[in-house]
Amino acid sequence: MRGGEAETSSGVPTAAQMTYLKRGLTQPGGKLPLFDAEGQAVSARTVRACIEKGWAEPWFDNPIKPDWLVCRLTRAGRAAISDD
């Protein structure tokens, strides 16, 4: 398990979740990355935790790589990572 992936009881994104979600802010449609800044696949655990919390939602199926979960940032996800 990579650091920062455990869910928090407060409903605040972990460091790994925050990094993942913030990358959707600059992408068209809020598309969330499949890979981190170092080129490694984003942990499926991080992606699924964000979906379960309502911060991300599956966007579309990838016919070339059906096991990849392509997601986008939700309104709740934007609120969870806002500085306000």
Side-chain angles (χ1 to χ4, degrees):
M1 172 169 59
R2 291 167 53 180
E5 291 180 8
E7 289 195 36
T8 61
S9 59
S10 64
V12 176
T14 64
Q17 293 165 350
M18 186 75 77
T19 298
Y20 171 66
L21 294 169
K22 282 187 174 184
R23 292 198 49 214
L25 292 173
T26 59
Q27 297 301 309
K31 182 185 177 292
L32 292 165
L34 296 171
F35 302 96
D36 65 19
E38 288 80 40
Q40 299 298 310
V42 172
S43 166
R45 182 176 177 156
T46 296
V47 175
R48 294 198 188 289
C50 288
I51 292 170
E52 289 171 11
K53 296 279 190 175
W55 300 328
E57 63 185 1
W59 196 359
F60 60 84
D61 294 325
N62 185 335
I64 297 171
K65 289 285 194 177
D67 55 322
W68 287 359
L69 192 54
V70 180
C71 295
R72 67 177 165 187
L73 191 59
T74 64
R75 188 170 292 165
R78 288 178 190 276
I81 60 175
S82 73
D83 293 329
D84 297 337

